[in-house]
Coordinates of all heavy atoms in Angstrom, one line a residue:
S351 N 50.9 94.4 -34.5 CA 50.4 94.9 -35.8 C 48.9 95.0 -35.7 O 48.3 94.6 -34.8 CB 50.9 93.9 -36.9 OG 50.3 92.7 -36.6
L352 N 48.4 95.7 -36.8 CA 47.0 95.8 -36.9 C 46.5 95.1 -38.1 O 47.3 95.0 -39.1 CB 46.5 97.3 -37.0 CG 46.7 98.2 -35.8 CD1 46.1 99.6 -36.1 CD2 46.0 97.6 -34.6
V353 N 45.4 94.4 -38.1 CA 44.8 93.9 -39.3 C 43.4 94.6 -39.4 O 42.9 95.2 -38.5 CB 44.5 92.3 -39.2 CG1 45.8 91.6 -39.3 CG2 43.8 91.9 -37.9
Y354 N 42.9 94.6 -40.6 CA 41.8 95.5 -41.0 C 40.7 94.6 -41.6 O 40.8 94.1 -42.6 CB 42.2 96.6 -41.9 CG 43.4 97.4 -41.4 CD1 44.7 97.0 -41.7 CD2 43.1 98.5 -40.6 CE1 45.8 97.8 -41.2 CE2 44.2 99.2 -40.1 CZ 45.5 98.9 -40.3 OH 46.5 99.6 -39.8
Q355 N 39.6 94.6 -40.9 CA 38.4 93.8 -41.4 C 37.4 94.7 -42.1 O 36.9 95.7 -41.5 CB 37.7 93.0 -40.3 CG 36.6 92.1 -40.8 CD 36.0 91.2 -39.8 OE1 35.8 91.6 -38.7 NE2 35.7 89.9 -40.2
P356 N 37.2 94.4 -43.4 CA 36.3 95.2 -44.2 C 34.8 95.2 -43.7 O 34.3 94.2 -43.2 CB 36.4 94.7 -45.6 CG 36.9 93.3 -45.4 CD 37.7 93.2 -44.2
Q357 N 34.1 96.3 -43.9 CA 32.7 96.4 -43.6 C 32.0 96.9 -44.9 O 32.5 97.7 -45.6 CB 32.5 97.5 -42.5 CG 33.3 97.2 -41.2 CD 33.2 98.2 -40.2 OE1 33.0 99.4 -40.5 NE2 33.3 97.8 -38.9
F358 N 30.8 96.3 -45.1 CA 30.0 96.6 -46.3 C 28.6 96.9 -46.0 O 28.0 96.5 -45.0 CB 30.0 95.3 -47.2 CG 31.4 94.8 -47.6 CD1 32.1 93.9 -46.8 CD2 32.0 95.3 -48.7 CE1 33.4 93.5 -47.2 CE2 33.2 94.9 -49.1 CZ 33.9 94.0 -48.3
T359 N 28.0 97.7 -47.0 CA 26.6 98.0 -46.9 C 25.9 96.7 -47.4 O 26.4 96.0 -48.2 CB 26.1 99.1 -47.8 OG1 26.4 98.8 -49.1 CG2 26.9 100.4 -47.4
L360 N 24.7 96.4 -46.8 CA 23.9 95.3 -47.3 C 23.1 95.6 -48.5 O 22.7 94.6 -49.2 CB 23.1 94.7 -46.1 CG 23.9 94.0 -45.0 CD1 23.0 93.5 -43.9 CD2 24.7 92.9 -45.6
A361 N 22.8 96.8 -48.7 CA 22.0 97.2 -49.9 C 22.7 96.9 -51.2 O 22.1 96.4 -52.1 CB 21.5 98.6 -49.8
E362 N 24.0 97.2 -51.2 CA 24.7 97.1 -52.5 C 26.1 96.5 -52.4 O 26.9 96.6 -53.3 CB 24.7 98.4 -53.2 CG 25.2 99.5 -52.3 CD 24.8 100.9 -52.9 OE1 24.3 101.0 -54.0 OE2 25.1 101.9 -52.2
Y363 N 26.5 96.0 -51.2 CA 27.8 95.4 -50.9 C 28.9 96.4 -51.3 O 29.9 96.1 -51.9 CB 28.0 94.1 -51.7 CG 27.1 93.0 -51.2 CD1 26.4 92.2 -52.1 CD2 26.8 92.9 -49.8 CE1 25.6 91.2 -51.6 CE2 26.0 91.9 -49.4 CZ 25.3 91.1 -50.3 OH 24.5 90.2 -49.8
R364 N 28.7 97.6 -50.9 CA 29.7 98.7 -51.0 C 30.6 98.7 -49.8 O 30.1 98.6 -48.7 CB 29.0 100.0 -51.2 CG 29.9 101.1 -51.7 CD 29.1 102.4 -52.2 NE 28.1 102.7 -51.2 CZ 28.3 103.5 -50.1 NH1 29.5 103.9 -49.9 NH2 27.4 103.8 -49.2
L365 N 31.9 98.7 -50.1 CA 32.9 98.8 -49.0 C 32.8 100.2 -48.3 O 32.9 101.2 -49.0 CB 34.3 98.6 -49.5 CG 35.5 98.7 -48.6 CD1 35.5 97.6 -47.6 CD2 36.8 98.8 -49.4
T366 N 32.6 100.2 -47.0 CA 32.4 101.5 -46.4 C 33.5 101.8 -45.4 O 33.8 102.9 -45.0 CB 31.1 101.6 -45.6 OG1 31.0 100.5 -44.6 CG2 29.9 101.6 -46.5
G367 N 34.2 100.7 -44.9 CA 35.3 101.0 -43.9 C 35.9 99.7 -43.4 O 35.7 98.6 -44.0
F368 N 36.8 99.9 -42.4 CA 37.5 98.7 -41.8 C 37.4 98.9 -40.3 O 37.4 100.0 -39.8 CB 39.0 98.8 -42.2 CG 39.2 98.6 -43.7 CD1 39.3 99.7 -44.6 CD2 39.3 97.3 -44.2 CE1 39.5 99.5 -45.9 CE2 39.6 97.1 -45.6 CZ 39.7 98.2 -46.4
E369 N 37.5 97.7 -39.6 CA 37.7 97.7 -38.2 C 39.1 97.3 -38.0 O 39.6 96.3 -38.5 CB 36.8 96.8 -37.5 CG 37.1 96.7 -36.0 CD 36.2 95.8 -35.1 OE1 35.3 95.2 -35.7 OE2 36.3 95.8 -33.9
A370 N 39.9 98.1 -37.3 CA 41.3 97.8 -36.9 C 41.3 96.8 -35.7 O 40.7 97.1 -34.7 CB 42.0 99.1 -36.6
L371 N 42.0 95.7 -35.9 CA 42.1 94.7 -34.8 C 43.5 94.4 -34.5 O 44.4 94.2 -35.4 CB 41.4 93.4 -35.3 CG 39.8 93.6 -35.5 CD1 39.3 92.4 -36.3 CD2 39.1 93.6 -34.1
L372 N 43.8 94.4 -33.2 CA 45.2 94.3 -32.8 C 45.7 92.9 -32.8 O 45.0 92.0 -32.4 CB 45.3 94.9 -31.4 CG 46.6 95.1 -30.7 CD1 47.5 96.0 -31.6 CD2 46.4 95.8 -29.3
R373 N 47.0 92.7 -33.2 CA 47.6 91.4 -33.2 C 49.0 91.5 -32.5 O 49.7 92.5 -32.7 CB 47.8 90.9 -34.6 CG 46.5 90.6 -35.4 CD 45.8 89.4 -34.8 NE 44.5 89.2 -35.5 CZ 43.4 89.6 -35.0 NH1 43.3 90.3 -33.8 NH2 42.2 89.3 -35.6

Side-chain angles (χ1 to χ4, degrees):
S351 59
L352 292 183
V353 286
Y354 303 91
Q355 186 172 39
Q357 302 178 331
F358 299 91
T359 63
L360 286 180
E362 48 198 356
Y363 297 136
R364 194 166 47 81
L365 174 71
T366 56
F368 295 92
E369 176 176 4
L371 294 161
L372 189 54
R373 295 291 176 262

